[in-house]
Amino acid sequence: MSSLIRSYGGVLAALFGGLTLLWIIGLIVLPQLNMIQRAFIWEARDGAAQQAGVDLERAYQKIATLDYDIRAAKRDIERGSAPSAAPSPSDPFAVSPGAPSPGGLASSETPDKRIVRLESERTELQGQINPLKERFGRLKIEEAEASGYSIKNFTTMSPLHWRIFGMTIFYAFCVTLLSFLFCYPIAYTIARTQKEIHVAFFMLGIIIPYALNELLRIFAWTMILANEGILNSALDTLGLIDLESGEAIRWLASNGAVFCVLMYTYILFMIFPMYNTIETLDKNQIEAARDLGASTWRIHSRVVIPHAKPGIAVGAIMTFMLSAGSISVPGLVGPGLHPDWFSQIIYRNFFEAGNWNIGAAQSLLLLVACTIFILIVLRFFRVGIQEIAR
Amino acid sequence: MQGKEIRLQGVSMRFGDFIAVHETDLTIAAGEFFSILGPSGCGKTTILRMISGFLTPTTGQVLIGGKDLTAVGPNKRPTALIFQNLALFPLMSVWENVAFGLEARGIGRRERRKRAEDLLDLVALTEHAGKKPTALSGGQRQRVAIARALAVEPSVLLLDEPLSALDLKLRQHMRAELKQIQRKTGVTFVYITHDQGEALTMSDRIAVMNAGRIEQVAPTSEIYNAPATSFVATFVGEHNVFRGRVEGLENGMAQVNTPLGRLLGMNRDDLKPGEEAMIFVRPERIGLVSQTPTLGNRLQAAVERRDLEGPYLNVFMRAGEHQIVMHMTNAGNNVSDLSGEQSVGFACEDALVLRAGELAGE
Ligand SMILES: Nc1ncnc2c1ncn2[C@@H]1O[C@H](COP(=O)(O)OP(=O)(O)OP(=O)(O)O)[C@@H](O)[C@H]1O
Ligand SMILES: [Mg+2]
């Protein structure tokens, strides 16, 4: 901070500091706190209050319909003409059990009789409104009393969801591991390439796909993996399978496909940090190890990987968090995949079921799992945060 | 440990269109301290890397201990290389560095530790075994690198300018130490340097290289006293050079006609009259005629500058187009009043006539 003041002067430094603070508070701290708070607020939803609300709503609707019918009958009288054959706009769904509406069958009635009948129906309904209101209010209060701070959002999660949570963490771990195994040789090769132009080509090849929208990139995979997709067609052309007789291999909607696409989607986040650290390794160290008789395996395990540890840790953490939280990949590549990934369940709680608090609780679980993963990785690689920041 | 002989037969190295090392035959005796001396970029490292196995020669064979190892990888050769920048493993402790070669050979941890400590003893670093290399001084790191290379009991130790990163004092100290280690172990040392002082003080024999070619291979004293080519003459030590054409021959000497007159010198290259020649004289062999009246070759030169360098005095003089350097021993009274036109000269036996060729530093 003092160096900031020295280089930019008090006003600018204060501005920078203020903006940073604002950003941290507004975009990180407050939303997180809100989410954590929601996670620990239990919203009781046993359905009784909701049902009462629905009943009340229906009664109001029914009364409005009757009012309409009465007005129509009155108009008929004024005109003195025969009752119109216009069908009653009664809502067939709004019929409450004790009050069957005669609807269009009443065409034989005289308008006067009809008005009397409708009026009596209306009075009866009007009488029901108040008890319904009362019941709804009572249930609401009861519900509000049952709600409040608790860990019920976690404890009431179904065993299936816990299992999905566990599987998602495990899958994300698998993706991270596979991604490392796949990306390490690539990163090493690029880092050891002598000709700048070749490095540029490698990099371009890896970066260009990222110019595409993420959804499109994933969608491209669904085209490759679809039953009538590129991969199956290629196999068909090679004569390995016969598409016509329905031998198509079902690639999509499998965990393998999700793994594969996740790896592809986040490959850059694994390769770049590793490349950056391997690149700084003195080539002579590799040669020295070789000169001392080390096998390729030993050179990597004792010299290259220890040196690249901070990069590997960063890559692993990023890939893990992105995979654990990805919803577009399992959503697009694994439609019909069963069970869902945890992130999809969170998504549904937030945006379909409207259970924000449960969604928040589940997000918090994911956050905690990711944090634990980070700590384990850091411990495992014996790298500190400072080293990573380097 | 026992040193082995190295033999290069018709070895050359080409990178694309560029020939880094021209066809070379060279034999380095077992247990010898052999230096390769040459200016930057002349191909020294390339030769070393062909001996260690990191480069496969474009032509020719590399034989170590009589065995053709041309196609054998560096991890399978009885050589150990000490890199220009040492290339210690910064994440391992000193003893792990030293023991790395043993680890690669599958030797158990306890045994490794013991052998590493013996070697650290040899280079006087016992108490630093547990430190990281970055915690050591330049000279100590140097010795770790030597111990690490010796740990695999190589027959040949290849050193690529290992002292270039050290300051002068330490460099002189390490020279003595290297020489001592070489004597103690009996390993063949191939030492690369562009510092002639280093080569001259440590080596048994020296090869002087220029632009991918070895110009001369000889014991140190011969390299200095009897350089074979104009390049060696000017690269190793200082020389005054006069260009001219051979005019006449008389019992092993050649008379060369130079812009400064006729000069007589030893005809080492057996030049014939009419051939282009260069005549070389060391600055310390030039003297004042007034002090030594018997000098065979004489010149008139004007003193331009005098630099006192402690034990001797450098006198820079001009004679026509030529600058002449004369080293005089500081005898107290002879250095203070030298100025103006002087008659200087040198003995015919101290002058060397060689075929005209490339000079170092041009
Ligand atoms: N891999 C390579 N590809 C192309 N040219 C190379 C390669 N390695 C070396 N050279 C060239 O070969 C020549 C000799 O290189 P070398 O490294 O042997 O020089 P050196 O004598 O060790 O120099 P220095 O004293 O500066 O270390 C140089 O001109 C260098 O540019
Ligand atoms: Mg070199």
Side-chain angles (χ1 to χ4, degrees):
Chain A
M1 193 67 205
S2 60
S3 73
L4 252 184
I5 294 179
R6 219 175 305 124
S7 38
Y8 293 104
V11 179
L12 266 184
L15 188 67
F16 289 159
L19 283 177
T20 314
L21 210 65
L22 198 70
W23 177 63
I24 291 176
I25 291 177
L27 288 174
I28 302 176
V29 177
L30 288 182
Q32 283 296 330
L33 283 180
N34 180 272
M35 198 195 83
I36 293 173
Q37 189 190 19
R38 272 174 178 278
F40 287 101
I41 294 178
W42 165 252
E43 270 186 349
R45 289 169 179 245
D46 56 2
Q50 206 178 354
Q51 188 58 50
V54 170
D55 286 350
L56 188 63
E57 191 74 3
R58 277 184 186 161
Y60 275 130
Q61 245 171 39
K62 181 77 183 143
I63 288 173
T65 313
L66 285 170
D67 282 346
Y68 179 88
D69 284 352
I70 290 169
R71 270 200 305 280
K74 281 184 177 159
R75 265 200 308 278
D76 284 350
I77 293 174
E78 275 162 24
R79 280 189 223 133
S81 60
S84 68
S88 160
S90 305
D91 180 4
F93 297 105
V95 177
S96 58
S101 166
L105 295 174
S107 55
S108 57
E109 281 181 319
T110 65
D112 294 336
K113 272 193 189 163
R114 205 176 131 156
I115 289 176
V116 174
R117 188 179 51 78
L118 289 173
E119 289 282 9
S120 70
E121 262 178 46
R122 191 180 184 283
T123 322
E124 193 186 331
L125 269 174
Q126 196 69 53
Q128 285 177 12
I129 288 278
N130 271 337
L132 273 176
K133 255 191 188 164
E134 209 172 288
R135 189 170 124 81
F136 179 60
R138 199 183 62 241
L139 285 172
K140 260 289 204 223
I141 290 166
E142 272 173 21
E143 228 181 54
E145 275 167 1
S147 302
Y149 286 101
S150 88
I151 53 164
K152 272 192 184 161
N153 281 334
F154 300 95
T155 51
T156 56
M157 208 165 87
S158 72
L160 174 67
H161 284 187
W162 277 109
R163 215 187 72 217
I164 292 176
F165 172 64
M167 289 309 273
T168 299
I169 297 300
F170 174 69
Y171 289 159
F173 180 75
C174 291
V175 171
T176 309
L177 195 68
L178 286 175
S179 192
F180 166 71
L181 293 178
F182 182 73
C183 295
Y184 177 78
I186 299 177
Y188 180 79
T189 312
I190 303 176
R192 288 273 74 95
T193 304
Q194 304 277 333
K195 288 226 176 79
E196 308 251 318
I197 185 85
H198 292 175
V199 176
F201 271 123
F202 269 124
M203 281 301 169
L204 225 55
I206 292 171
I207 292 170
I208 280 179
Y210 282 79
L212 224 62
N213 180 292
E214 177 175 338
L215 291 180
L216 282 182
R217 237 181 308 138
I218 298 168
F219 193 68
W221 271 97
T222 66
M223 297 206 300
I224 296 173
L225 298 175
N227 277 2
E228 304 274 312
I230 296 169
L231 186 56
N232 275 341
S233 308
L235 290 177
D236 184 53
T237 315
L238 289 175
L240 294 175
I241 56 172
D242 187 6
L243 277 184
E244 307 237 304
S245 60
E247 278 180 19
I249 300 176
R250 192 165 154 277
W251 301 107
L252 284 177
S254 69
N255 277 324
V258 179
F259 280 12
C260 170
V261 179
L262 276 177
M263 269 169 62
Y264 173 75
T265 312
Y266 301 125
I267 210 168
L268 198 63
F269 298 90
M270 192 56 126
I271 288 188
F272 251 122
M274 282 204 287
Y275 165 77
N276 276 336
T277 44
I278 297 177
E279 221 237 330
T280 60
L281 176 63
D282 176 14
K283 175 171 138 267
N284 285 346
Q285 278 186 32
I286 296 173
E287 295 201 334
R290 213 159 113 65
D291 189 53
L292 292 167
S295 59
T296 307
W297 167 253
R298 191 175 298 276
I299 291 174
H300 284 280
S301 64
R302 291 286 277 142
V303 180
V304 187
I305 291 181
H307 176 87
K309 269 193 319 195
I312 296 174
V314 171
I317 288 170
M318 290 214 272
T319 309
F320 180 85
M321 302 220 296
L322 288 169
S323 323
S326 171
I327 59 168
S328 47
V329 175
L332 281 176
V333 180
L337 173 67
H338 207 80
D340 286 328
W341 281 44
F342 200 61
S343 46
Q344 290 172 287
I345 289 172
I346 296 177
Y347 178 85
R348 252 185 268 128
N349 269 327
F350 268 104
F351 300 108
E352 287 171 20
N355 289 334
W356 278 47
N357 291 11
I358 293 183
Q362 292 171 338
S363 310
L364 189 63
L365 273 184
L366 206 53
L367 179 72
V368 169
C370 287
T371 312
I372 291 175
F373 178 82
I374 293 174
L375 293 178
I376 291 176
V377 165
L378 292 185
R379 174 58 61 86
F380 178 73
F381 285 109
R382 291 205 198 86
V383 283
I385 304 282
Q386 319 88 290
E387 259 180 282
I388 285 182
R390 183 161 49 107
Chain B
M1 284 183 240
Q2 200 62 57
K4 280 189 179 153
E5 180 203 65
I6 303 165
R7 194 188 290 265
L8 304 184
Q9 291 178 339
V11 163
S12 74
M13 188 70 221
R14 177 192 277 275
F15 297 112
D17 283 343
F18 177 76
I19 300 177
V21 174
H22 293 267
E23 253 180 59
T24 299
D25 293 294
L26 179 66
T27 304
I28 300 169
E32 188 173 26
F33 198 124
F34 189 88
S35 289
I36 300 178
L37 176 64
S40 187
C42 68
K44 304 183 295 290
T45 300
T46 306
I47 288 203
L48 207 68
R49 290 172 69 80
M50 288 192 289
I51 299 175
S52 61
F54 285 109
L55 283 175
T56 309
T58 312
T59 65
Q61 281 99 44
V62 177
L63 285 78
I64 298 174
K67 260 190 271 172
D68 185 354
L69 297 181
T70 316
V72 173
N75 46 349
K76 302 259 158 59
R77 293 196 186 193
T79 60
L81 181 57
I82 293 180
F83 289 80
Q84 212 156 350
N85 67 351
L86 304 186
L88 296 177
F89 306 123
L91 300 173
M92 300 181 199
S93 64
V94 164
W95 84 263
E96 281 178 310
N97 262 283
V98 174
F100 185 82
L102 304 172
E103 186 186 325
R105 280 161 181 70
I107 290 168
R109 189 184 161 88
R110 183 171 305 172
E111 170 76 10
R112 286 208 305 264
R113 173 104 211 198
K114 200 185 142 300
R115 302 249 292 261
E117 272 165 5
D118 289 347
L119 278 159
L120 287 172
D121 252 355
L122 178 79
V123 293
L125 281 177
T126 324
E127 67 271 39
H128 300 288
K131 289 189 190 166
K132 289 274 157 66
T134 40
L136 301 182
S137 73
Q140 289 169 331
R141 277 206 286 272
Q142 189 67 61
R143 291 186 298 211
V144 175
I146 294 166
R148 182 178 73 173
L150 290 175
V152 296
E153 307 198 340
S155 308
V156 175
L157 197 64
L158 307 166
L159 304 98
D160 192 351
E161 308 200 27
L163 306 185
S164 54
L166 306 182
D167 61 49
L168 185 66
K169 260 273 162 25
L170 201 52
R171 208 149 63 210
Q172 284 169 345
H173 173 72
M174 285 306 296
R175 281 181 199 172
E177 213 154 314
L178 273 178
K179 185 77 194 150
Q180 200 190 358
I181 290 172
Q182 196 263 337
R183 258 194 232 110
K184 247 194 252 180
T185 57
V187 171
T188 311
F189 271 44
V190 181
Y191 188 96
I192 284 194
T193 179
H194 60 255
D195 178 336
Q196 40 157 321
E198 228 164 78
L200 290 172
T201 46
M202 288 195 285
S203 328
D204 299 321
R205 284 196 307 153
I206 298 178
V208 181
M209 274 190 86
N210 179 32
R213 286 202 172 79
I214 292 183
E215 301 243 337
Q216 186 176 10
V217 182
T220 37
S221 58
E222 199 179 318
I223 291 279
Y224 189 82
N225 294 327
T229 67
S230 54
F231 178 83
V232 178
T234 41
F235 189 73
V236 182
E238 256 183 295
H239 259 127
N240 291 297
V241 187
F242 309 96
R243 291 163 190 275
R245 199 176 287 277
V246 177
E247 282 217 325
L249 305 173
E250 45 185 274
N251 46 21
M253 303 242 184
Q255 204 174 45
V256 183
N257 198 7
T258 73
L260 297 181
R262 288 207 183 128
L263 298 173
L264 205 61
M266 309 296 293
N267 187 8
R268 193 66 55 73
D269 274 352
D270 269 335
L271 297 180
K272 301 280 174 293
E275 282 187 283
E276 295 276 349
M278 285 176 170
I279 184 159
F280 296 88
V281 197
R282 296 261 177 221
E284 65 267 24
R285 300 295 167 86
I286 293 187
L288 293 169
V289 176
S290 56
Q291 286 175 356
T292 324
T294 56
L295 295 173
N297 296 303
R298 295 179 181 203
L299 306 163
Q300 286 299 318
V303 175
E304 286 193 324
R305 205 173 86 237
R306 294 172 307 165
D307 291 350
L308 181 63
E309 213 176 282
Y312 51 86
L313 179 74
N314 292 338
V315 184
F316 297 91
M317 294 177 291
R318 180 154 291 281
E321 299 280 274
H322 290 261
Q323 172 148 71
I324 296 171
V325 186
M326 175 170 73
H327 288 180
M328 294 176 74
T329 322
N330 183 354
N333 55 357
N334 62 341
V335 300
S336 49
D337 56 347
L338 202 61
S339 61
E341 283 281 312
Q342 293 286 339
S343 180
V344 296
F346 49 92
C348 305
E349 295 76 27
D350 288 340
L352 197 58
V353 178
L354 294 174
R355 182 169 284 112
E358 195 187 338
L359 302 180
E362 275 190 349

